Amino acid sequence: MNQAVLHTGCGAEAGLISVDEALALIQTHTQSLAYETLALQQVLGRYLAADVHSPIQLPLFAQSAVDGYAICTAGEIKAGAQFELIGEIRAGQRAEISLKAGQAVRIFTGAPIPEGTATVARQEIVKADRQQIELTAALNPHADIRDAGEEISVGQSLAVRGQKLTVGSIAALSMAGISHCEVFAYPKIAVVITGDEVAQNIEDYRAGKIFDANAPLISAWFQSQHVQVEVIHIADEKQAVLDLFNCLKDSFDLILTTGGVSVGDYDFVRPAALDIGFQQIFWKVKQKPGKPMLFAQYRRPDSTSCYLLGLPGNPAAVYVGMQIYTDTLLKALQGQTPPLDWFSAVITHDLKADARERFLRMSAQFDKQGKLQLTSLSKQQSHMLSNLMQANCIVRIPAGRPVQAGQVLQGLFIQD
Amino acid sequence: MNQAVLHTGCGAEAGLISVDEALALIQTHTQSLAYETLALQQVLGRYLAADVHSPIQLPLFAQSAVDGYAICTAGEIKAGAQFELIGEIRAGQRAEISLKAGQAVRIFTGAPIPEGTATVARQEIVKADRQQIELTAALNPHADIRDAGEEISVGQSLAVRGQKLTVGSIAALSMAGISHCEVFAYPKIAVVITGDEVAQNIEDYRAGKIFDANAPLISAWFQSQHVQVEVIHIADEKQAVLDLFNCLKDSFDLILTTGGVSVGDYDFVRPAALDIGFQQIFWKVKQKPGKPMLFAQYRRPDSTSCYLLGLPGNPAAVYVGMQIYTDTLLKALQGQTPPLDWFSAVITHDLKADARERFLRMSAQFDKQGKLQLTSLSKQQSHMLSNLMQANCIVRIPAGRPVQAGQVLQGLFIQD
């Protein structure tokens, strides 16, 4: 045979890197982006670029923990004790009253404790009229008072560099009077869907094209991360792919592609990227789905970079790729290189061996002893997605040996 | 004493309802909203109002699972077998070729299998030139062919009424050509923060006011649900609260308030709501934090309703209230009344008894056997939020008895 070509690219041929190697290469080759200062309303899901210390103490001043009465007395506080009622202090008011022995002031939750206060009597143990109050139960000194600074002192660390800004952390920062914080910039992302086979309408579909899952999948995934992305569709033509990458490489931090990344005659993502100066960091991972995955870097003259993550076109490979690799890469671009948040759980049945590490869509349920139990779902092939209607996690199955019921595996919960 | 008042409202007085009772009352008293039809780009996090059946089969046609060669032969397929190469079929093209015995066609992943195909040889086991190909390994019949309809048949159920639309389900629906779906409408929500004590600026803060955690907390929580809400601040004045509710009750599905819901002299949420025709469904739950919580319903003449969920003003009560009660109510308004998604996990230490059921912020970590282990955090008081920097879950502690290390408890992971 003339011009004979022996194609390569088999499922588990020698030289493929492992999932852990691929993740480590993403983490070590990715430079984090610049910092930016944003209002707290804009930082959900972002990572702090600097430690945050509290500018105030919390509580700011000694305050009542209840609706009740602040009372002044030197001695034991017994049921039946009576006090002269000399005024009231509401939350948000200053405590301009100073109590003398035998006096009480009406006080509300969060209102400042006036000078001279021995304790606070919650209103449930008080009989009151306009001039005086009487306790219906004995009371300890310093009851129901929140001391100034008991939670946080001035200058105390509130949050540390690298911390993810969640709903709870945003609330806690607000409470300390923080209105802005310095965070890692979020990458500017171009999503490129390659392929001639995507139907744009019902006629295309009748002509042998297929409906696209990848663009809606990626858009929804970024939406779940509170990010809107633009999606570009491009045909399987080398020059078109090359021109597009050439145009994107100078203004985007990340080009995320689907399809066109294997060794087929119409797979132009890798050759186009290499032609315009991207350097391959890795290509092909010993995994299923998603073997022919590409990670490459283009260094701009100003020493910043554009990264290219090329996911295969099969939708299950895209789904897994987003949860495992895009997530890792987006964190690395934001200065974060923790391991993924794997859970440990017990598989309830055997699984056959496979030469590649696999990511299987499964259902995870806690048993009554607090142990997480995994059950695999049918229809795991890379062109199938319908089991995502039932799956709540992706489970990582080691390569090369069968899995036995009762074995502990690692997985990721699928959020959103 | 004249005009004596014995205040009520102690921590665990008789007559308070339990957490489960409160959740059940929300579920049974909430009417679900109307349906709406939305594009798939808009449905992340929504619930389907109708079953979805596939309008097409998937795969739509028999297709190649690999880049390779479709070959036609009647007999056994051995290494060394040669075939005449008569053309190629790309993904997105029709299979207009019909193979005869001894012929092969170049074919790519996802491309339609031509008539006459016995099997597909992946390119890794093929030596090819322009006119013919030779197999380097034996091959089974019908290898690497995805059969038409093997995943989904026409009319097959894809998703069911009530199903939450996740990233994965949106992708799976797109793949079946679904572009729109009928979902439960999302409630129109007014968030009302009551209280004179909230600082708007640094001068307010110096004058005895405090920085607000509740508005940023609630805004960020809704942001995490992909919803933007308007937040209204209002002073502790009954007429102002009453006028506001009166104005909101006709055009909103839900008024969510913080503060002003206890029995203090400046707690106007409940009296104002009752004055303008809201009916109390419950008030006060035997829980910590968040005891003086109110749930009320205003029935409009057209038989639709405006609901009012009144959370206490302490930020920890607001945080827990959002995760437990607002979440349950938003689901009920969208036709969903499942229990909350509690996990089971083992506590690593003892806890003292409390008369009320508690929600504690904890750290949950899987051990190597797949068991989830809980460790409580300090600073659990209702005016403290800083431990949300470390917490990844809220754990439910039964009332009235101590908890022992090793006991199984229920909790909710904190997302975002």
Side-chain angles (χ1 to χ4, degrees):
Chain A
M1 295 178 76
N2 298 330
Q3 302 173 314
V5 179
L6 183 61
H7 296 291
T8 58
C10 171
E13 65 268 23
L16 296 194
I17 63 171
S18 71
V19 170
D20 283 332
E21 287 168 329
L23 292 170
L25 284 169
I26 288 175
Q27 294 186 329
T28 52
H29 280 76
T30 304
Q31 301 169 292
S32 64
L33 301 175
Y35 307 157
E36 57 184 339
T37 298
L38 293 179
L40 274 195
Q41 295 90 302
Q42 303 170 288
V43 299
L44 183 67
R46 293 293 197 90
Y47 296 90
L48 279 174
D51 294 351
V52 180
H53 296 91
S54 185
I56 59 172
Q57 63 179 349
L58 281 176
L60 180 59
F61 43 81
Q63 58 187 242
S64 180
V66 293
D67 292 340
Y69 299 84
I71 62 181
C72 180
T73 176
E76 207 179 332
I77 313 161
K78 296 182 182 169
Q82 294 191 346
F83 298 87
E84 178 197 5
L85 184 57
I86 63 161
E88 75 166 31
I89 308 170
R90 295 167 60 175
Q93 290 182 336
R94 285 194 175 192
E96 285 167 352
I97 290 165
S98 181
L99 292 178
K100 299 194 182 72
Q103 290 184 331
V105 67
R106 180 83 169 111
I107 196 164
F108 296 93
T109 307
I113 297 290
E115 210 180 321
T117 300
T119 196
V120 171
R122 64 185 190 279
Q123 62 192 19
E124 292 82 356
I125 60 159
V126 172
K127 285 194 289 186
D129 67 16
R130 285 185 191 155
Q131 284 81 40
Q132 66 171 14
I133 67 164
E134 181 182 323
L135 303 185
T136 62
L139 199 53
N140 289 324
H142 207 71
D144 284 321
I145 293 174
R146 300 173 182 165
D147 288 318
E150 69 177 15
E151 183 182 10
I152 301 284
S153 51
V154 176
Q156 187 176 328
S157 169
L158 278 181
V160 294
R161 180 182 151 94
Q163 185 154 354
K164 188 170 186 180
L165 291 161
T166 60
V167 173
S169 54
I170 288 170
L173 292 173
S174 298
M175 206 164 152
I178 308 277
S179 62
H180 289 73
C181 49
E182 199 174 21
V183 295
F184 286 93
Y186 194 86
K188 201 173 162 206
I189 301 165
V191 176
V192 177
I193 309 287
T194 74
D196 299 334
E197 70 273 35
V198 175
Q200 303 294 334
N201 53 47
I202 197 79
E203 278 67 42
D204 282 358
Y205 155 81
R206 293 202 178 101
K209 297 186 190 286
I210 59 166
F211 288 109
D212 180 33
N214 292 341
L217 191 166
I218 291 175
S219 296
W221 190 87
F222 277 105
Q223 223 182 314
S224 79
Q225 312 279 311
H226 319 297
V227 175
Q228 293 291 334
V229 287
E230 282 295 321
V231 177
I232 304 159
H233 285 267
I234 191 147
D236 289 323
E237 290 162 20
K238 186 173 175 187
Q239 191 61 44
V241 175
L242 195 149
D243 291 345
L244 178 64
F245 288 175
N246 214 7
C247 160
L248 298 173
K249 77 183 194 317
D250 294 321
S251 48
F252 287 85
D253 302 307
L254 170 61
I255 303 173
L256 181 64
T257 66
T258 67
V261 78
S262 188
V263 291
D265 303 358
Y266 300 97
D267 289 330
F268 297 123
V269 167
R270 183 169 169 270
L274 297 182
D275 274 10
I276 60 171
F278 277 83
Q279 289 184 309
Q280 178 176 311
I281 296 168
F282 65 77
W283 183 42
K284 296 183 182 173
V285 179
K286 194 172 165 183
Q287 66 181 359
K288 194 175 176 176
K291 181 177 63 99
M293 196 173 58
L294 173 69
F295 183 51
Q297 178 178 18
Y298 174 81
R299 290 171 195 274
R300 289 184 283 246
D302 65 358
S303 90
T304 63
S305 291
C306 174
Y307 296 90
L308 188 151
L309 184 66
L311 302 174
N314 276 321
V318 174
Y319 190 78
V320 167
M322 295 304 290
Q323 309 280 359
I324 307 288
Y325 295 100
T326 305
D327 188 66
T328 297
L329 177 53
L330 292 175
K331 285 183 181 135
L333 285 163
Q334 295 174 85
Q336 307 310 310
T337 54
L340 285 161
D341 194 17
W342 300 108
F343 61 67
S344 299
V346 175
I347 182 107
T348 55
H349 51 80
D350 296 349
L351 288 171
K352 286 183 191 158
D354 194 289
R356 287 182 268 170
E357 189 165 349
R358 279 169 295 168
F359 294 103
L360 297 184
R361 293 155 263 171
M362 294 201 187
S363 166
Q365 305 296 335
F366 285 94
D367 69 10
K368 291 192 173 161
Q369 281 71 49
K371 226 174 200 177
L372 194 57
Q373 307 271 352
L374 298 171
T375 310
S376 193
L377 298 166
S378 61
K379 302 185 179 174
Q380 294 282 355
Q381 288 172 262
S382 65
H383 62 293
M384 298 179 174
L385 279 187
S386 59
N387 66 10
L388 291 178
M389 299 290 183
Q390 289 86 45
N392 68 355
C393 62
I394 295 178
V395 177
R396 189 173 169 174
I397 316 294
R401 51 182 188 273
V403 168
Q404 292 182 321
Q407 196 172 322
V408 176
L409 297 172
Q410 290 192 306
L412 287 179
F413 285 113
I414 297 172
Q415 291 181 359
D416 279 305
Chain B
M1 298 178 72
N2 298 330
Q3 302 172 314
V5 178
L6 183 59
H7 297 291
T8 58
C10 169
E13 66 267 23
L16 296 194
I17 63 171
S18 71
V19 170
D20 282 331
E21 286 167 329
L23 291 171
L25 284 169
I26 289 175
Q27 294 186 328
T28 52
H29 280 78
T30 305
Q31 299 168 293
S32 64
L33 301 174
Y35 307 156
E36 58 185 338
T37 299
L38 294 178
L40 274 195
Q41 295 90 300
Q42 302 170 290
V43 300
L44 184 67
R46 294 293 198 91
Y47 296 90
L48 279 175
D51 294 351
V52 179
H53 296 91
S54 185
I56 59 171
Q57 62 179 350
L58 281 175
L60 180 59
F61 44 81
Q63 58 187 242
S64 179
V66 292
D67 292 340
Y69 299 84
I71 61 181
C72 181
T73 177
E76 208 181 330
I77 313 161
K78 297 182 182 168
Q82 295 193 347
F83 298 87
E84 178 197 5
L85 184 57
I86 63 162
E88 76 166 30
I89 309 170
R90 294 169 59 177
Q93 291 184 334
R94 285 194 174 189
E96 285 166 352
I97 290 166
S98 181
L99 292 177
K100 298 193 183 73
Q103 290 184 330
V105 67
R106 180 83 170 111
I107 196 165
F108 296 93
T109 307
I113 296 290
E115 210 181 320
T117 300
T119 195
V120 171
R122 63 186 190 279
Q123 63 192 18
E124 292 83 356
I125 60 158
V126 171
K127 285 194 289 188
D129 67 16
R130 285 184 191 157
Q131 284 83 39
Q132 66 173 12
I133 68 164
E134 180 182 323
L135 303 185
T136 62
L139 199 52
N140 288 323
H142 207 73
D144 284 322
I145 294 174
R146 302 173 181 165
D147 288 317
E150 69 177 16
E151 183 182 12
I152 301 284
S153 52
V154 176
Q156 187 176 328
S157 170
L158 278 181
V160 295
R161 180 182 151 94
Q163 185 155 354
K164 189 170 186 181
L165 291 160
T166 60
V167 173
S169 54
I170 288 169
L173 292 174
S174 298
M175 207 164 151
I178 308 277
S179 62
H180 290 73
C181 49
E182 199 174 22
V183 296
F184 286 93
Y186 195 87
K188 201 173 162 203
I189 300 165
V191 176
V192 177
I193 309 287
T194 75
D196 299 334
E197 70 272 34
V198 175
Q200 303 294 333
N201 53 47
I202 199 78
E203 277 67 41
D204 282 356
Y205 156 81
R206 293 200 179 103
K209 297 186 191 286
I210 58 166
F211 288 109
D212 180 33
N214 292 340
L217 190 167
I218 292 176
S219 296
W221 190 87
F222 277 105
Q223 223 182 314
S224 80
Q225 312 279 310
H226 318 298
V227 175
Q228 293 290 334
V229 287
E230 281 296 319
V231 176
I232 304 159
H233 285 267
I234 192 147
D236 289 324
E237 291 162 19
K238 184 171 176 190
Q239 192 61 44
V241 175
L242 195 148
D243 291 345
L244 178 64
F245 287 175
N246 214 6
C247 160
L248 298 174
K249 76 183 196 317
D250 294 320
S251 48
F252 286 86
D253 302 308
L254 171 60
I255 303 172
L256 181 65
T257 67
T258 67
V261 77
S262 187
V263 293
D265 304 357
Y266 300 96
D267 288 331
F268 297 124
V269 166
R270 183 170 169 269
L274 297 182
D275 274 9
I276 60 170
F278 277 83
Q279 289 184 309
Q280 179 177 311
I281 296 168
F282 65 77
W283 183 40
K284 296 184 184 172
V285 179
K286 194 171 165 183
Q287 66 180 0
K288 194 175 175 175
K291 181 176 64 97
M293 195 172 58
L294 174 69
F295 183 51
Q297 177 178 19
Y298 174 80
R299 289 170 196 275
R300 290 184 283 247
D302 66 358
S303 87
T304 64
S305 292
C306 173
Y307 296 89
L308 188 150
L309 184 66
L311 301 174
N314 275 321
V318 174
Y319 190 78
V320 167
M322 294 305 290
Q323 309 279 0
I324 307 287
Y325 295 100
T326 305
D327 187 67
T328 297
L329 177 53
L330 291 175
K331 286 185 181 133
L333 285 163
Q334 295 175 84
Q336 306 310 310
T337 54
L340 285 160
D341 195 17
W342 299 109
F343 61 66
S344 298
V346 175
I347 182 106
T348 56
H349 51 80
D350 296 349
L351 288 171
K352 285 183 192 160
D354 194 289
R356 287 182 269 170
E357 189 166 347
R358 279 169 295 168
F359 293 103
L360 297 183
R361 293 155 264 170
M362 296 202 186
S363 166
Q365 305 297 335
F366 284 93
D367 70 9
K368 291 194 174 160
Q369 281 71 49
K371 226 173 201 176
L372 193 58
Q373 307 272 351
L374 298 172
T375 309
S376 193
L377 299 166
S378 61
K379 303 186 179 173
Q380 294 283 354
Q381 288 172 260
S382 64
H383 63 292
M384 298 179 174
L385 279 187
S386 59
N387 66 10
L388 290 177
M389 299 292 183
Q390 290 85 42
N392 68 354
C393 62
I394 295 177
V395 177
R396 191 175 168 173
I397 315 294
R401 52 181 188 275
V403 168
Q404 292 181 321
Q407 197 171 321
V408 176
L409 298 172
Q410 290 192 306
L412 287 179
F413 286 114
I414 298 172
Q415 292 182 358
D416 279 307

PDB file of all heavy atoms in Angstrom, chain A residues 230-241:
ATOM      1  N   GLU A 230     -20.731  34.261  25.698  1.00  0.00           N
ATOM      2  CA  GLU A 230     -21.114  34.257  24.292  1.00  0.00           C
ATOM      3  C   GLU A 230     -20.645  32.942  23.678  1.00  0.00           C
ATOM      4  O   GLU A 230     -19.539  32.485  23.966  1.00  0.00           O
ATOM      5  CB  GLU A 230     -20.421  35.407  23.546  1.00  0.00           C
ATOM      6  CG  GLU A 230     -21.042  36.763  23.760  1.00  0.00           C
ATOM      7  CD  GLU A 230     -22.450  36.869  23.204  1.00  0.00           C
ATOM      8  OE1 GLU A 230     -22.728  36.320  22.109  1.00  0.00           O
ATOM      9  OE2 GLU A 230     -23.282  37.499  23.890  1.00  0.00           O
ATOM     10  N   VAL A 231     -21.466  32.361  22.830  1.00  0.00           N
ATOM     11  CA  VAL A 231     -21.106  31.108  22.187  1.00  0.00           C
ATOM     12  C   VAL A 231     -20.977  31.348  20.686  1.00  0.00           C
ATOM     13  O   VAL A 231     -21.855  31.943  20.072  1.00  0.00           O
ATOM     14  CB  VAL A 231     -22.173  30.033  22.469  1.00  0.00           C
ATOM     15  CG1 VAL A 231     -21.838  28.747  21.728  1.00  0.00           C
ATOM     16  CG2 VAL A 231     -22.287  29.762  23.973  1.00  0.00           C
ATOM     17  N   ILE A 232     -19.857  30.894  20.117  1.00  0.00           N
ATOM     18  CA  ILE A 232     -19.595  31.049  18.682  1.00  0.00           C
ATOM     19  C   ILE A 232     -19.628  29.665  18.043  1.00  0.00           C
ATOM     20  O   ILE A 232     -18.963  28.745  18.530  1.00  0.00           O
ATOM     21  CB  ILE A 232     -18.199  31.685  18.462  1.00  0.00           C
ATOM     22  CG1 ILE A 232     -18.104  33.022  19.202  1.00  0.00           C
ATOM     23  CG2 ILE A 232     -17.899  31.833  16.968  1.00  0.00           C
ATOM     24  CD1 ILE A 232     -16.659  33.465  19.459  1.00  0.00           C
ATOM     25  N   HIS A 233     -20.405  29.505  16.969  1.00  0.00           N
ATOM     26  CA  HIS A 233     -20.400  28.236  16.210  1.00  0.00           C
ATOM     27  C   HIS A 233     -19.479  28.393  15.011  1.00  0.00           C
ATOM     28  O   HIS A 233     -19.491  29.432  14.347  1.00  0.00           O
ATOM     29  CB  HIS A 233     -21.809  27.908  15.711  1.00  0.00           C
ATOM     30  CG  HIS A 233     -22.713  27.407  16.796  1.00  0.00           C
ATOM     31  ND1 HIS A 233     -22.881  26.077  17.064  1.00  0.00           N
ATOM     32  CD2 HIS A 233     -23.477  28.065  17.686  1.00  0.00           C
ATOM     33  CE1 HIS A 233     -23.724  25.934  18.076  1.00  0.00           C
ATOM     34  NE2 HIS A 233     -24.110  27.132  18.478  1.00  0.00           N
ATOM     35  N   ILE A 234     -18.696  27.348  14.749  1.00  0.00           N
ATOM     36  CA  ILE A 234     -17.811  27.440  13.583  1.00  0.00           C
ATOM     37  C   ILE A 234     -17.747  26.088  12.877  1.00  0.00           C
ATOM     38  O   ILE A 234     -17.805  25.037  13.518  1.00  0.00           O
ATOM     39  CB  ILE A 234     -16.405  27.959  13.977  1.00  0.00           C
ATOM     40  CG1 ILE A 234     -15.627  28.302  12.712  1.00  0.00           C
ATOM     41  CG2 ILE A 234     -15.644  26.963  14.836  1.00  0.00           C
ATOM     42  CD1 ILE A 234     -14.685  29.464  12.877  1.00  0.00           C
ATOM     43  N   ALA A 235     -17.665  26.152  11.541  1.00  0.00           N
ATOM     44  CA  ALA A 235     -17.633  24.927  10.737  1.00  0.00           C
ATOM     45  C   ALA A 235     -16.266  24.255  10.855  1.00  0.00           C
ATOM     46  O   ALA A 235     -15.299  24.849  11.302  1.00  0.00           O
ATOM     47  CB  ALA A 235     -17.926  25.266   9.279  1.00  0.00           C
ATOM     48  N   ASP A 236     -16.222  22.985  10.412  1.00  0.00           N
ATOM     49  CA  ASP A 236     -14.977  22.215  10.446  1.00  0.00           C
ATOM     50  C   ASP A 236     -14.107  22.568   9.244  1.00  0.00           C
ATOM     51  O   ASP A 236     -13.911  21.745   8.324  1.00  0.00           O
ATOM     52  CB  ASP A 236     -15.300  20.712  10.454  1.00  0.00           C
ATOM     53  CG  ASP A 236     -15.891  20.254  11.775  1.00  0.00           C
ATOM     54  OD1 ASP A 236     -15.462  20.767  12.823  1.00  0.00           O
ATOM     55  OD2 ASP A 236     -16.787  19.391  11.758  1.00  0.00           O
ATOM     56  N   GLU A 237     -13.590  23.801   9.231  1.00  0.00           N
ATOM     57  CA  GLU A 237     -12.698  24.238   8.145  1.00  0.00           C
ATOM     58  C   GLU A 237     -11.474  24.862   8.801  1.00  0.00           C
ATOM     59  O   GLU A 237     -11.609  25.790   9.610  1.00  0.00           O
ATOM     60  CB  GLU A 237     -13.388  25.284   7.272  1.00  0.00           C
ATOM     61  CG  GLU A 237     -14.524  24.698   6.445  1.00  0.00           C
ATOM     62  CD  GLU A 237     -15.464  25.779   5.929  1.00  0.00           C
ATOM     63  OE1 GLU A 237     -15.046  26.964   5.876  1.00  0.00           O
ATOM     64  OE2 GLU A 237     -16.619  25.437   5.619  1.00  0.00           O
ATOM     65  N   LYS A 238     -10.302  24.368   8.418  1.00  0.00           N
ATOM     66  CA  LYS A 238      -9.112  24.781   9.161  1.00  0.00           C
ATOM     67  C   LYS A 238      -8.898  26.286   9.151  1.00  0.00           C
ATOM     68  O   LYS A 238      -8.613  26.891  10.195  1.00  0.00           O
ATOM     69  CB  LYS A 238      -7.852  24.072   8.633  1.00  0.00           C
ATOM     70  CG  LYS A 238      -6.638  24.408   9.520  1.00  0.00           C
ATOM     71  CD  LYS A 238      -5.399  23.635   9.172  1.00  0.00           C
ATOM     72  CE  LYS A 238      -4.241  24.139  10.041  1.00  0.00           C
ATOM     73  NZ  LYS A 238      -2.961  23.540   9.635  1.00  0.00           N
ATOM     74  N   GLN A 239      -9.048  26.906   7.978  1.00  0.00           N
ATOM     75  CA  GLN A 239      -8.754  28.328   7.901  1.00  0.00           C
ATOM     76  C   GLN A 239      -9.723  29.131   8.781  1.00  0.00           C
ATOM     77  O   GLN A 239      -9.330  30.093   9.448  1.00  0.00           O
ATOM     78  CB  GLN A 239      -8.806  28.818   6.449  1.00  0.00           C
ATOM     79  CG  GLN A 239      -8.240  30.229   6.262  1.00  0.00           C
ATOM     80  CD  GLN A 239      -6.764  30.319   6.662  1.00  0.00           C
ATOM     81  OE1 GLN A 239      -5.959  29.441   6.321  1.00  0.00           O
ATOM     82  NE2 GLN A 239      -6.382  31.361   7.413  1.00  0.00           N
ATOM     83  N   ALA A 240     -10.974  28.700   8.790  1.00  0.00           N
ATOM     84  CA  ALA A 240     -11.977  29.419   9.594  1.00  0.00           C
ATOM     85  C   ALA A 240     -11.652  29.306  11.081  1.00  0.00           C
ATOM     86  O   ALA A 240     -11.729  30.289  11.830  1.00  0.00           O
ATOM     87  CB  ALA A 240     -13.374  28.860   9.311  1.00  0.00           C
ATOM     88  N   VAL A 241     -11.254  28.116  11.501  1.00  0.00           N
ATOM     89  CA  VAL A 241     -10.897  27.898  12.913  1.00  0.00           C
ATOM     90  C   VAL A 241      -9.651  28.715  13.255  1.00  0.00           C
ATOM     91  O   VAL A 241      -9.594  29.409  14.284  1.00  0.00           O
ATOM     92  CB  VAL A 241     -10.666  26.388  13.194  1.00  0.00           C
ATOM     93  CG1 VAL A 241     -10.170  26.168  14.612  1.00  0.00           C
ATOM     94  CG2 VAL A 241     -11.955  25.589  12.943  1.00  0.00           C
TER      95      VAL A 241
END
